[in-house]
Amino acid sequence: MGAPINYRTVLTTCTYCGCGCNFFLEVLDGKVIGTIPCKTSPVNEGKLCIKGWNVHEFVQHEKRLKTPLLRKNGKLEEVSWDEALDFTATRLRQIKESSGPDSIGFLTSAKVTNEENYLLQKFARAAVGTNNIDHCARL
Amino acid sequence: MLKFSGIDEARLKASWVSSAEAPELVHEFTSFIKELRELGPSPLRADYRRELV
Amino acid sequence: MIDVIRDKVKELLDSGEIKGFLGLVRKNGHIAPHLFQKGDDLGAMSLGDDKVAGDARYPLNKFLINLAKAYPEETFAVLVRGCDDRGLQTLYTWNQLNPKKVVPVGITCPQELADACECLKPFPAVITAGECAQPGTPRSVAAVDALVMSERFSYWMDEFVKCIKCYGCSNVCPMCFCNECTLKCDDLVKGGELPPEIPVFHHTRAMHMVGRCIDCGLCEEACPSNIPLRTLYKKVGSIMEEQFDFTTGAVRGQRSPLNKIDFAEGRK
Ligand code: SF4
Ligand code: SF4
Ligand code: SF4
């Protein structure tokens, strides 16, 4: 008998919206190969929507963004986080000074944690000075 | 299955017509169209879904 | 019952007869599909009964196909109830699994589950543990048959219109294994349209389950809109029984009468 097969089902929560459906990701040899809704979850009771059912497809998708992209001369280029953050901070400051804080808006995401969403609204209101903040789950 | 779903089975017809029997095919079409006309409009008309939603 | 299963699995693993046992485990407060391998702790094993019997069943055969594809040389044991066993028999005839590489570990279902499932055979062919319950009494199909045509029509249309096209019914189905699915073909089922075209969407799936549906009920359990899918497929099954005297997966090695063209062509 050779080495054991690396097959696991990993309980996790859907990242697509705020409902918080639970499912198992089927993992074979380090690759996520399937999604199966958790029957014993009180939230979704073994059901999912079409997005949840296909979660396993984006996790390791080759087109998934892994580094920030910055448009240079009309073309998106991979850059470091430092460069991306410097650029964004500089532009935000410039825009705020020239057109006022309400010329800036923030969109946040259901795919990040509550705490991260809280941080972004704090940043919008306290650091930038605008109430222009919204969330993808309301769109 | 149509009957089970409350749809008149007369609305579906399957016939075996060889590719060499064109007149037969025409006959099948015209007679079936006539039968369908007699049955009246389908309950699955285009706007049935809008009404349900 | 579970102790007998544990002993059996331990024996199979220790003897080296199988590479792993695909079953269920209780972990993190939930019941999860799990592959037990040699030396693993079998203490947390579950048979898929959480609050009531059989409420945490999973399409284990579906996962088994994935494992068998990746490890075609290995033999796996799998936890089967009556329906799963019918599924195995059918998957063999469709060449999705190799019977020489599968060791079923059979359990019976209690009477309450057999009644709830209206199950014709609530136990597998080879039983490792448990007592056979009586077949459940069919009710759901007869209830629809009792309606007049116009009532049937509105009954089904009111159900189908709730469909959110999540594809859960086919994703969860242990007998849905086609690489290309008609229901996912853009030319046949328009993308971004809700509900999908009814009743065509649901009838298409019902037609495709002819000779395949083993009446496990997982689709209906997975349907977020509570559409009585199982009743629809039960009807398909009963037509097959009346017309062809065929019950999917009931007889080992028996192919669907609609799949017999292979014989005529001289293929295996
Ligand atoms: S369909 Fe039959 S074998 Fe399957 S869970 Fe229900 S009672 Fe058990
Ligand atoms: S599981 Fe239910 S809602 Fe989802 S596609 Fe199937 S019938 Fe429609
Ligand atoms: S009952 Fe549903 S999930 Fe089970 S085999 Fe039939 S169609 Fe598939």
Side-chain angles (χ1 to χ4, degrees), chain A residues 48 53, chain C residues 159-160 162-170 183 196 201-202 205 219-220 222-227 229 233:
Chain A
L48 285 174
W53 268 111
Chain C
E159 291 292 349
F160 292 155
K162 299 187 295 187
C163 179
I164 61 162
K165 208 162 81 174
C166 66
Y167 288 102
C169 43
S170 65
L183 295 177
F201 184 86
H202 302 87
R205 179 145 205 285
C219 49
E220 189 170 307
C223 178
S225 310
N226 288 328
I227 300 174
L229 297 166
Y233 308 141

Side-chain angles (χ1 to χ4, degrees), chain B residues 3 10 23 27-28 31 33 38 49:
Chain B
K3 220 162 109 191
H27 171 74
E28 286 293 335
S31 65
I33 290 173
E38 276 161 19
R49 240 182 318 168

